[in-house]
Amino acid sequence: MIDTRGPLALSLLVIAVSAYGCGGPEREHEVLSHAPSTGDRPVGDRPPGRIPGTHLQDDRPTVENLDPDLLAAVRAAARDARADGVRLVITSGWRSRAHQQRLFDEAVAEYGSEEEARRYVSTPDDSAHVTGDAVDIGPTDADAWLGQRGAAYGLCQIFANEIWHFELATTPGGECPDMLPDSSYRG
Ligand SMILES: [Zn+2]
């Protein structure tokens, strides 16, 4: 069953359109035009999504500002995953600097220090989400599917402690680089 609640459903629609391969640019635009705002205003009418592995909330799984090549790779993977009976959902995509800063500040409050927080949430300067070069994928079976097959699309898990976080890090069919232990190693 498709979960029809909130931003996850919106992302799902975006993926679903490409997954079925019958939409084309026009219908895709129509779906995207209903996607969450990329602005910084708080969104109170949609249930937020939890950032996997943390208690943090991400209320805008925004896909509009993602690197087009990354989004195309995720869509291709989503199409093939669906054929395997796995539903691939973008739970978090592009984030504004202000949004990333807010997530980092929340992580500092949760984990007690900036040093510890960096293991789970990057600063705006270091986050690939801010540049549109990273997506968080769910649910867990989708993470496992993409973790095994992502390299075929150029998609790689980057941090050993974030099975949901993927970036374009190799050529399609290539080999993914060794994972970093956690996001603090990139800073
Ligand atoms: Zn991420």
Side-chain angles (χ1 to χ4, degrees), residues 46-108:
R46 288 183 285 106
R50 193 168 66 88
I51 296 180
T54 75
H55 296 117
L56 305 174
Q57 303 290 322
D58 193 345
D59 55 7
R60 285 184 300 270
T62 307
V63 298
E64 297 96 317
N65 294 349
L66 286 175
D67 167 50
D69 290 340
L70 172 63
L71 188 54
V74 172
R75 284 176 164 159
R79 200 159 45 232
D80 293 344
R82 179 173 287 268
D84 285 349
V86 174
R87 189 167 51 94
L88 225 150
V89 177
I90 297 176
T91 59
S92 186
W94 172 82
R95 301 171 188 154
S96 69
R97 286 186 63 87
H99 183 43
Q100 186 69 34
Q101 183 68 51
R102 198 157 50 238
L103 292 173
F104 183 71
D105 291 345
E106 288 169 10
V108 171

Side-chain angles (χ1 to χ4, degrees), residues 95 129 134-136 162 164-166:
R95 301 171 188 154
H129 285 281
V135 287
D136 293 344
E162 297 188 21
W164 53 86
H165 178 104
F166 290 88

Side-chain angles (χ1 to χ4, degrees), residues 5 17 22 40 74 77 106 109 125 133 149 162:
R5 293 168 304 164
V17 163
C22 57
D40 260 325
V74 172
E106 288 169 10
D125 285 340
D133 293 314
R149 296 176 175 77
E162 297 188 21

